[in-house]
Amino acid sequence: MNALHKSLLAVAAALLALAPLGTVQAATPAHATYAAHLVPLNTKVAKTATTGEARFTINGDRLTIDIRVHGASPDMVHWQHFHGFADGQQAVCPAIGSDKNGDGVIDLIETGQVAGTTMVPFIAQPASMDVAHGSYPTADARGNYHYHETVSLPALEQAFAKAFPGQQLDLNKRVVFIHGVPAGTALPSSVQSLGPIPAQVTLPIACGQIERVGTRR
């Protein structure tokens, strides 16, 4: 090995050593299943305990989102999304400690410290990223509903990357929230919401952390 070859190897090794670790994100797998077990939040003001499951099945360029909810406030629309951090850190569901102002309610704004921000809405067209005006499901007289949509994964990934530059879907870093109590529900004046949207609309009533549960072949 001549001196020039040795020098080139040394330069290459130095560049590798200087490269930041963890900046390359894994691509979305071609076949995988993720799930979130939904547990109740804010049951005292919601007057109900909302449970259910959200499942995400990736099959090539298609993503199927299946959400079954039980015990939500009946006969009303419920907003639903996955939340997360735009810097890629792990999101988790809020616990009682998230009630920072001590009013007995974990409002949408208080979830941000542990769960991040609203990312993808589960509406008729998730890739539209239309959080405020999308078509959300309506619970029946028993407070149950079933949401099922199959979407283009590339289209959703493209819309997500536009909204959150440098980030991928990274489902296993996100949490699912179900929102909403009746418009007439009495809430403390300290309960916060997003802009002019009523707190009754955005109040979290269930949350589940998304985890990978299997790989499909």
Side-chain angles (χ1 to χ4, degrees), residues 22-200:
T23 57
V24 178
Q25 300 184 43
T28 303
H31 302 280
T33 300
Y34 299 80
H37 175 62
L38 303 175
V39 297
L41 287 174
N42 292 314
T43 56
K44 288 184 178 179
V45 292
K47 307 299 184 185
T48 185
T50 304
T51 60
E53 184 183 61
R55 295 185 73 85
F56 306 85
T57 303
I58 297 172
N59 189 4
D61 65 353
R62 311 298 288 176
L63 169 65
T64 297
I65 307 166
D66 190 274
I67 303 175
R68 295 179 183 270
V69 169
H70 310 285
S73 297
D75 298 318
M76 63 169 284
V77 172
H78 289 278
W79 287 20
Q80 50 178 11
H81 323 88
F82 81 59
H83 292 215
F85 290 97
D87 63 2
Q89 68 175 290
Q90 179 71 55
V92 298
C93 288
I96 189 62
S98 294
D99 177 19
K100 298 301 183 182
N101 60 12
D103 62 6
V105 178
I106 301 172
D107 62 43
L108 175 64
I109 305 306
E110 288 175 323
T111 69
Q113 186 172 358
V114 296
T117 188
T118 304
M119 287 185 153
V120 175
F122 301 132
I123 53 180
Q125 296 179 324
S128 71
M129 303 291 281
D130 192 352
V131 172
H133 305 100
S135 178
Y136 292 97
T138 300
D140 64 20
R142 295 185 176 182
N144 304 325
Y145 70 81
H146 180 203
Y147 168 89
H148 185 91
E149 292 289 343
T150 297
V151 302
S152 164
L153 183 57
L156 182 58
E157 289 177 324
Q158 182 177 7
F160 188 83
K162 183 177 180 180
F164 303 99
Q167 295 298 306
Q168 296 188 12
L169 289 179
D170 285 334
L171 290 174
N172 58 328
K173 292 184 178 181
R174 317 301 183 192
V175 296
V176 173
F177 276 110
I178 309 299
H179 304 268
V181 292
T185 301
L187 298 174
S189 59
S190 53
V191 173
Q192 303 177 80
S193 187
L194 193 63
I197 303 171
Q200 287 84 356

